[in-house]
Amino acid sequence: MRTLPARSSSRFLSLSAAALLLAAPACKKASIKPTQDKGDLSQVVAQVGDEVITVGDVQERINKQSPFIRARYTTLDKKKEFLDNLVRFEVMAGEAQKRGYDKDPEVQRVMKQQMISKFLQKDFESKVKVEDVPEADVEKYYKDHPEEFNKKDEVRVSEILVKDKPKAEKAYNEAKAQSKTAGADQKAFRDLVTKVSEDEESKQRGGDLTFFDKDSTAYPKPIIEAAFKLGDVGDVSPPVKTEKGWVVLKLTQKRPGFNRPLAEVKRQIQQRLFRDTRTKALDAFIADLKKNTKIEIHEDNLGKVVIENGMEGGGGPGAPRGGGMTSGDPHAPGAFPGGGPGMMPGGMPAGGMPPQRTLLQGKKP
């Protein structure tokens, strides 16, 4: 086989990508005669073998692009350019079909995926809407999950814990002197924790006690009260007496609380419940289909499946690093038509490749 020069090969790939971007198998096998009715979208603009490209085909493909791209094709010359890409697409598709690629298992799997996507969009997803989530369900979710919509002010501090008060006073003076020069810088205080603190558990974390609110029971009450008296990040507390000894605190972060009323988060809750409802409905739908389909599972043969290690997997162009399939989650971005990262207008994946996720959990035909 003759190898294309680098420049020719690059041009060929660019033209192929352009064809895949702009074209889709929207053309028809027919012998439609051109008519003079300007409002008739069935008027023929090109015929490639048995495939007919109509006014409607060109119009549909252009209008499925983003407004920015559509604006490029307002002139006749640009429409000719777009049509040329459609023709290239049909020529390449026809040649691929002559060579039997329509029988290729991967091509057939891709066709099934697109068919499933269309089927779900037309016959399943259109019947389930966010607005159908009952008000009572929204109110119940809001009531049952107060922590998601209401949160108290929180602070984060680091501690130095020592047994004797004189040591605590010394540590406090040193930490306070640091705060005047380093402010909220935590490294100097962590070094002081390593040098002075006698509590091994918090010492391993540089003295960090993580976030807590005023009602927290994770730490002794004197520590919580002293922490909330600190005004600015970088402030240091005088020694605080606890059951374990004397503690010096440094305020490292403050996190303000919030209180979101139901009216503010209603749509957010509806969307969450809608996703849950859709997932359950789809699972039930597929389970029902399984009951009416003859299915045989041979689990003993699963042991023969060889999984390639590391980056050597053969996921192919566009596959995630490490090769192989992406998540089988049917509700992940790209699993449903018309959206998700990498998806082109109209639901066609960027670059002309179909989404790797399948609604059948990655099963191949």
Side-chain angles (χ1 to χ4, degrees), residues 274-293:
F274 165 71
R275 288 193 298 269
D276 293 343
T277 300
R278 184 180 64 178
T279 300
K280 291 175 183 176
L282 181 59
D283 289 344
F285 179 68
I286 293 176
D288 191 53
L289 292 177
K290 284 182 173 181
K291 289 178 184 177
N292 298 299
T293 305

Side-chain angles (χ1 to χ4, degrees), residues 245-317:
W246 293 85
V247 174
V248 175
L249 301 173
K250 179 172 182 175
L251 183 63
T252 57
Q253 281 182 273
K254 298 178 78 172
R255 189 154 63 187
F258 55 82
N259 184 2
R260 294 174 184 158
L262 177 58
E264 181 183 318
V265 297
K266 178 182 174 181
R267 186 69 178 179
Q268 175 187 332
I269 297 174
Q270 277 184 320
Q271 289 173 338
R272 179 172 299 184
L273 294 178
F274 165 71
R275 288 193 298 269
D276 293 343
T277 300
R278 184 180 64 178
T279 300
K280 291 175 183 176
L282 181 59
D283 289 344
F285 179 68
I286 293 176
D288 191 53
L289 292 177
K290 284 182 173 181
K291 289 178 184 177
N292 298 299
T293 305
K294 184 180 178 181
I295 300 172
E296 294 182 5
I297 304 294
H298 302 278
E299 290 188 7
D300 51 321
N301 286 331
L302 280 175
K304 300 173 185 177
V305 176
V306 177
I307 307 299
E308 296 178 345
N309 295 325
M311 299 290 288
E312 298 174 1

